[in-house]
Amino acid sequence: MDKDCAVYCENVKKAYDTGGDKVIALGGIDLQIKLGELMMLVGPSGCGKTTLISVVAGILDQDSGVCEVFGQNLLKMHARDKLKFRAKNIGFVFQAFNLLPSLTAAENVSIPLILNGVKRKEAERRGAVMLEKVGLGTRTRSFPNQLSGGQQQRVAIARALVHNPKLIVCDEPTSALDHETGHQVMDLLKEVAMGHDRALVIVTHDSRIFGFADRIARMDDGHIEKVVNSVTEL
Amino acid sequence: MNHIALKMLMGDRGKYFGIVMGLTFASLIMTQQPAIFVGLMSRTSSFISDLGYPDIWVMDAKVQFVDDIKPMQDTELYRIRGVAGVQWAMPIYKGMLKARLADGTFQTCIVVGIDDTTLIGGPPEMLAGKLADLRRSDGVIVDIDGATTKLAKPAKTAGGKPIPLQVGDTLELNDKRAIVVGIAKTTRTFQSQPVIYTTYSRAMAFAPRERKLLSFVVLKIKPNADRQTVIKRIKQTTGLAAYTQQEFKDLTIEYFMTNTGIPINFGMSVLLGFLVGAAIAGQTFYNFTLENLRQFGVLKAMGASNGTLLRMILLQAVLVGIIGYGIGVGLTAWFGYAMRNSILAFKFPWQLLVFSGVGITLICMFAALLSIIKVIRLEPAIVFKG
Ligand SMILES: Nc1ncnc2c1ncn2[C@@H]1O[C@H](COP(=O)(O)OP(=O)(O)OP(=O)(O)O)[C@@H](O)[C@H]1O
Ligand SMILES: [Mg+2]
């Protein structure tokens, strides 16, 4: 495994137990994501995209196979170390934003820093700086319900980036937004999230944003069908 | 993360108020009902405390509580006076007699007869007249609550306010004339009957003719005598029962505790208050956690440990607990203050604060525990679910 590899999956399998029946969500996934790359995971509903990035982000254990993130085998990690690993290295962006409604934008953005041991004042100051970077410098004291969907997703992106994680996982970051706003969010992600020492995984079935990807992995029924370098090859 | 926990809690005003109200209700019921209970229980022995001064009470061996009068022979007084270590001993008559009021109706009263010469055992506080006025012929002292309510004279005009009994007024006790020479303040008795003080010999005259009329003998021991030793001696020489003031009070309260439904009634109220409060607060707190489960999931995904989330929930529970407890206890204190001049019994010793504090702590722990279990079992992977 070369050293610019961010995520390395080999024969990753995951089945869900639904009261007797086993639903196979991942049927043996092989995938590599490189540093500095924006990888998109696409495919029909129910094919296992969310399950895969959950495993990659370390919030779900696979049944078998190897998943290494920055050379660390998550499955073999102690629960406490895994928490620390997540807090330090992973940024999350969700379809439903998942901001804490009773916290201001700056407070929301400060959470990953606080979880990494930064003092509250300093964390909120850095949160406000990060909000500036995503174009919300004037809305640091706004609550989520005072912001538009696009603005909320910007706050979420700021929250995902504020602690400078090396892997950012996004599940359908544009699905709750209209086309134009979705494009702006992707522009922003590309602009502020990308870097030579970090990787982005974006799950989507919004074909209008496929063009932002460096590589696209197409999934179907728990398998990677193919990995391509541009939309035209899909 | 503490400030985040508090903001989460305050962020949901409806639930926050719901939880606090549940806890307020519980702590209110858990202090107010017992306060009334303690008040009532202390009234059962108010006659003993009002008499205050003497060290030892002597009575028939079968007496179970202060209102359970089993008269003794007058000669017992002299036998008690003869016991070594007794400084002085005085007779007390206590009985229920019918008073005939000015309008011709009857009212049962507690008549207390105290030693003619020393007047030991008189009411704790005189509001009008002097205790010594009891020495005037036919003199009685009436307690203020009785004088203004049950013994009051009918209003001059129909529907008007009754006129309180005053010094100089007369009433009839067992067909014998009595003149009010004083008005006293006494602690309300359990049955709230008017209390009439008079001398022992006059009480004998009011009381129906019976062979035995001596209710209690109260005594003071010599300065260097030991109370329990004197009690033992009295029991041996007379075969009567003798108690210290506190022992007699305890005996009386004990009787009411075991022989009436009062403790059970109040116990039920307290239990219901506890259960209803626990149900409201516990349920609402749990719902609050359920509704915020996704937020907890997001924190978990971002690397918050179970310990951190546990502390957050505990902090939330402690906060609502303190606020609910404070308001509930405050309401009880206010209730007691507002009722201070009414007939209602109310006593709020610090032990009740501890009692309800423990109750509220239990409720909060129960509520928090449900939520903590839910959050600890939470899979962080739910954050990606729609
Ligand atoms: N917690 C779960 N319990 C049982 N089955 C599950 C669970 N989560 C997912 N599945 C099943 O696993 C399969 C893959 O689900 P997953 O959520 O990974 O799909 P997806 O590609 O993200 O779909 P979508 O595009 O609709 O989000 C589906 O068949 C789904 O029903
Ligand atoms: Mg999905």
Side-chain angles (χ1 to χ4, degrees), chain A residues 16 18 23 25 44-51 172 205, chain B residues 385:
Chain A
Y16 291 105
T18 53
V23 179
S45 181
C47 69
K49 306 182 293 291
T50 297
T51 306
E172 310 276 7
H205 44 224
Chain B
K385 295 268 140 41

Side-chain angles (χ1 to χ4, degrees), chain B residues 280-325:
Chain B
I280 297 175
Q283 163 92 0
T284 318
F285 193 86
Y286 185 62
N287 275 348
F288 164 76
T289 307
L290 283 190
E291 263 177 34
N292 290 306
L293 216 50
R294 176 169 280 270
Q295 297 184 43
F296 285 116
V298 171
L299 293 176
K300 236 181 181 181
M302 292 196 297
S305 66
N306 276 336
T308 302
L309 300 181
L310 183 144
R311 269 201 306 282
M312 289 175 73
I313 294 174
L314 276 183
L315 180 69
Q316 291 170 338
V318 166
L319 181 81
V320 290
I322 289 174
I323 295 176
Y325 173 73

Side-chain angles (χ1 to χ4, degrees), chain A residues 25-221:
Chain A
L26 301 177
I29 297 282
D30 296 320
L31 182 70
Q32 289 190 38
I33 302 168
K34 294 195 207 64
L35 281 171
E37 141 174 282
L38 195 164
M39 164 74 84
M40 269 188 197
L41 274 179
V42 306
S45 181
C47 69
K49 306 182 293 291
T50 297
T51 306
L52 180 56
I53 61 158
S54 300
V55 170
V56 166
I59 57 174
L60 187 69
D61 288 341
Q62 71 270 32
D63 298 333
S64 64
V66 177
C67 180
E68 287 182 2
V69 181
F70 306 116
Q72 305 261 3
N73 189 331
L74 296 179
L75 206 54
K76 290 192 175 149
M77 233 184 241
H78 244 274
R80 198 142 262 288
D81 297 335
K82 200 149 129 186
L83 278 177
K84 282 215 181 94
F85 181 84
R86 281 210 304 266
K88 191 162 173 287
N89 296 305
I90 316 280
F92 291 91
V93 178
F94 311 94
Q95 175 176 1
F97 320 138
N98 282 342
L99 299 173
L100 272 58
S102 43
L103 302 187
T104 64
E107 287 166 344
N108 263 292
V109 176
S110 72
I111 295 176
L113 292 172
I114 290 172
L115 288 173
N116 276 294
V118 178
K119 288 268 174 310
R120 179 182 169 189
K121 267 237 166 68
E122 170 66 6
E124 279 171 25
R125 191 192 61 77
R126 276 159 67 180
V129 171
M130 195 65 222
L131 279 171
E132 193 120 21
K133 282 199 191 145
V134 299
L136 288 173
T138 58
R139 305 303 300 270
T140 54
R141 284 156 184 273
S142 298
F143 288 93
N145 65 4
Q146 297 167 328
L147 299 170
S148 72
Q151 288 170 330
Q152 289 186 54
Q153 198 58 303
R154 280 159 187 266
V155 175
I157 289 169
R159 180 176 69 179
L161 298 176
V162 72
H163 53 309
N164 223 358
K166 291 196 282 183
L167 176 68
I168 292 139
V169 293
C170 315
D171 196 8
E172 310 276 7
T174 60
S175 303
L177 307 172
D178 63 51
H179 183 209
E180 177 122 352
T181 321
H183 246 266
Q184 286 169 2
V185 162
M186 285 309 298
D187 275 331
L188 179 73
L189 267 176
K190 200 116 202 192
E191 185 190 316
V192 297
M194 292 310 296
H196 64 280
D197 58 348
R198 93 161 36 133
L200 242 79
V201 196
I202 298 180
V203 165
T204 187
H205 44 224
D206 182 358
S207 58
R208 294 166 305 189
I209 63 164
F210 286 180
F212 286 94
D214 294 324
R215 286 198 302 153
I216 301 174
R218 203 191 141 84
M219 286 184 73
D220 198 11
D221 204 15

Side-chain angles (χ1 to χ4, degrees), chain B residues 48-342:
Chain B
I48 306 169
S49 347
D50 273 7
L51 219 102
Y53 193 35
D55 293 321
I56 294 172
W57 288 66
V58 184
M59 65 207 74
D60 185 275
K62 293 210 178 65
V63 168
Q64 300 180 72
F65 63 106
V66 68
D67 298 321
D68 179 31
I69 307 293
K70 302 218 161 70
M72 304 170 283
Q73 239 139 20
D74 275 348
T75 50
E76 300 289 7
L77 177 62
Y78 306 106
R79 292 176 67 192
I80 292 162
R81 280 180 177 158
V83 172
V86 174
Q87 173 117 342
W88 51 252
M90 300 299 165
I92 300 279
Y93 169 83
K94 182 167 183 273
M96 303 287 260
L97 297 181
K98 277 204 193 101
R100 201 174 115 94
L101 308 183
D103 62 354
T105 58
F106 288 94
Q107 167 66 49
T108 309
C109 301
I110 297 171
V111 174
V112 180
I114 58 177
D115 183 60
D116 290 46
T117 42
T118 61
L119 297 181
I120 281 170
E125 189 187 344
M126 294 298 296
L127 298 176
K130 292 191 303 292
L131 183 60
D133 294 341
L134 270 190
R135 297 203 175 95
R136 285 159 50 180
S137 66
D138 298 338
V140 295
I141 294 172
V142 179
D143 88 285
I144 182 74
D145 294 321
T148 48
T149 56
K150 291 182 175 155
L151 294 179
K153 294 171 286 184
K156 288 217 173 69
T157 53
K161 264 198 180 161
I163 306 160
L165 209 58
Q166 278 168 338
V167 173
D169 286 335
T170 58
L171 38 84
E172 269 177 32
L173 283 167
N174 246 352
D175 295 332
K176 290 174 192 89
R177 204 172 103 97
I179 302 173
V180 179
V181 296
I183 304 289
K185 179 145 186 58
T186 61
T187 312
R188 224 178 256 275
T189 61
F190 184 68
Q191 293 154 66
S192 293
Q193 274 113 345
V195 182
I196 294 177
Y197 284 89
T198 188
T199 60
Y200 187 76
S201 55
R202 205 169 296 130
M204 296 297 105
F206 289 141
R209 284 271 119 240
E210 276 179 54
R211 203 164 50 85
K212 301 196 262 184
L213 282 170
L214 178 63
S215 313
F216 303 104
V217 173
V218 293
L219 62 91
K220 188 95 190 153
I221 56 171
K222 288 197 171 127
N224 49 6
D226 174 60
R227 244 190 280 194
Q228 290 305 328
T229 321
V230 176
I231 285 177
K232 213 179 272 168
R233 279 190 208 130
I234 294 172
K235 283 180 183 165
Q236 276 164 4
T237 46
T238 62
L240 299 169
Y243 304 103
T244 64
Q245 195 189 67
Q246 191 56 48
E247 283 168 358
F248 191 29
K249 273 192 200 171
D250 293 347
L251 183 79
T252 297
I253 290 174
E254 175 85 17
Y255 175 85
F256 277 85
M257 294 290 276
T258 49
N259 290 285
T260 67
I262 299 168
I264 296 173
N265 270 323
F266 280 92
M268 293 287 267
S269 305
V270 170
L271 187 68
L272 272 179
F274 176 81
L275 290 179
V276 171
I280 297 175
Q283 163 92 0
T284 318
F285 193 86
Y286 185 62
N287 275 348
F288 164 76
T289 307
L290 283 190
E291 263 177 34
N292 290 306
L293 216 50
R294 176 169 280 270
Q295 297 184 43
F296 285 116
V298 171
L299 293 176
K300 236 181 181 181
M302 292 196 297
S305 66
N306 276 336
T308 302
L309 300 181
L310 183 144
R311 269 201 306 282
M312 289 175 73
I313 294 174
L314 276 183
L315 180 69
Q316 291 170 338
V318 166
L319 181 81
V320 290
I322 289 174
I323 295 176
Y325 173 73
I327 300 178
V329 164
L331 282 176
T332 296
W334 173 80
F335 170 85
Y337 181 75
M339 294 289 160
R340 67 194 180 286
N341 290 325
S342 75

